[in-house]
Amino acid sequence: MVLISVLKVFTSTKNFNAYFTIVMKSNYLALWLLLAVALAIFLTVSFSDDLSLGSYTVKKAPFPETIFPDSIQDSHARLLASNDSVLLSDTVEQPKEVKTDSVPKNILLFGDSMTMNIALRLAKYAKQNGHEMHAINWDSSNTKIWAESDTLAAFMKRYNPDFVFISLGSNEVYFKDPYKRHPYVKRILATIGDVPYIWIGPPCWDNRTAINDMLEATCRPGTFFRSAGMEFKRKKDKIHPTREASALWVDSIMRWMPKSAHPILADFPSDSLGKVHSNIILLKALNK
């Protein structure tokens, strides 16, 4: 009788609903607790480095990069930009300092009509620093003329230089596609071979030209001096720099020398040097 009475109490509609509610609430509470624990584990793995558990490794998930891509990239950028020398040594290739070659050089300068005035000033630097210099000024010449003749090879053999200056490109400033001259530039550099050189870019009077871009892209890093953009006082033809402007031009090149791929002695010439012999050979050529 007692058991029947208890069953009647629990099976009554009101009491059964109350009991069911209590049970369901406790089950939901356990479910939410389980989900919270799972979420905590997921976030921990996602935002931390790889986790090792004995012989097993739990890989970092890409969750933060997916949700916060910009902030992650910004933090990486700030990290790479820090002044931590240890960090930078692992991520950025440090520039190597090139020491100045203190041995006097046998210099060969060759090129177009810009070469004459360059040679006059460069000869003073040569005497000041113990170098020997010879210059070949070939009027109206260009990269094609020098590449297709044996002139350069002959003078390389004659003077056996261990440093070369090149002044070519001025007669190709107006070319619409100067990159067609790329094979000739490569041939000239091949004739020079392993001898250190500096290609002096033309002192452009027309900023629309791409000749300097082609020359710089062809020369080895640290071997091209970009003259474009410099201000020059020019002769009546409005093309050739005056002798005084050319002297300042050479001064700029020699100040840049320590930044080149193979710096040589380039101390400023003393006023006491007086007249210096330039050893210039003059040639004539037709444009090609």
Side-chain angles (χ1 to χ4, degrees):
M1 293 296 293
V2 174
L3 179 58
I4 294 174
S5 300
V6 172
L7 289 175
K8 287 183 178 180
V9 171
F10 278 97
T11 54
S12 64
T13 302
K14 183 177 180 180
N15 292 335
F16 180 82
N17 289 340
Y19 175 80
F20 182 80
T21 301
I22 293 173
V23 173
M24 291 302 295
K25 283 185 177 180
S26 61
N27 287 341
Y28 277 123
L29 181 62
L31 180 60
W32 281 112
L33 182 60
L34 181 61
L35 290 174
V37 172
L39 180 61
I41 295 174
F42 177 79
L43 293 176
T44 301
V45 174
S46 297
F47 285 90
S48 63
D49 294 329
D50 295 348
L51 300 176
S52 296
L53 302 174
S55 60
Y56 297 96
T57 299
V58 180
K59 294 293 184 180
K60 177 182 177 181
F63 181 71
E65 288 84 354
T66 303
I67 303 301
F68 309 113
D70 294 335
S71 62
I72 293 296
Q73 292 175 4
D74 291 344
S75 64
H76 286 176
R78 289 193 298 270
L79 190 62
L80 292 177
S82 70
N83 294 323
D84 189 336
S85 59
V86 176
L87 173 65
L88 289 177
S89 65
D90 292 336
T91 57
V92 180
E93 183 179 355
Q94 298 300 303
K96 297 180 180 179
E97 181 181 356
V98 180
K99 293 184 179 180
T100 298
D101 188 343
S102 60
V103 178
K105 299 301 175 186
N106 182 18
I107 296 174
L108 174 63
L109 164 67
F110 71 90
D112 52 33
S113 56
M114 299 289 176
T115 305
M116 170 67 80
N117 284 337
I118 292 176
L120 295 176
R121 184 59 172 170
L122 190 60
K124 291 192 173 184
Y125 274 93
K127 186 173 182 179
Q128 176 70 40
N129 293 277
H131 307 307
E132 182 180 352
M133 193 198 81
H134 297 274
I136 315 299
N137 181 98
W138 200 349
D139 282 351
S140 302
S141 65
N142 52 44
T143 58
K144 187 175 187 291
I145 289 174
W146 280 93
E148 292 185 338
S149 70
D150 60 356
T151 304
L152 177 57
F155 282 114
M156 290 289 292
K157 184 177 180 180
R158 177 176 176 179
Y159 295 120
N160 191 28
D162 44 26
F163 201 94
V164 174
F165 285 91
I166 310 161
S167 176
L168 281 172
S170 294
N171 291 314
E172 290 146 298
V173 167
Y174 290 119
F175 278 41
K176 293 182 179 180
D177 185 10
Y179 286 90
K180 290 183 178 180
R181 294 287 170 146
H182 172 79
Y184 304 127
V185 176
K186 293 289 290 183
R187 196 178 304 177
I188 291 171
L189 296 180
T191 302
I192 295 173
D194 295 330
V195 178
Y197 68 90
I198 288 177
W199 194 302
I200 304 171
C204 293
W205 53 96
D206 188 339
N207 293 327
R208 293 171 296 178
T209 182
I211 185 67
N212 281 279
D213 296 333
M214 184 275 291
L215 290 172
E216 187 168 14
T218 309
C219 293
R220 295 195 301 266
T223 63
F224 180 78
F225 180 83
R226 193 179 186 97
S227 306
M230 299 178 65
E231 295 292 333
F232 293 95
K233 186 177 180 180
R234 303 182 188 265
K235 297 180 180 180
K236 291 182 180 180
D237 61 8
K238 297 182 180 181
I239 293 176
H240 294 82
T242 63
R243 180 175 296 186
E244 294 77 13
S246 296
L248 295 175
W249 185 14
V250 174
D251 290 345
S252 297
I253 296 169
M254 301 310 273
R255 283 195 301 270
W256 170 83
M257 177 66 73
K259 300 179 181 178
S260 68
H262 192 112
I264 62 175
L265 294 173
D267 291 340
F268 193 82
S270 171
D271 293 336
S272 61
L273 285 177
K275 189 175 181 180
V276 177
H277 188 52
S278 304
N279 297 324
I280 304 174
I281 295 177
L282 302 177
L283 302 177
K284 296 290 183 179
L286 297 175
N287 276 319
K288 287 188 179 181

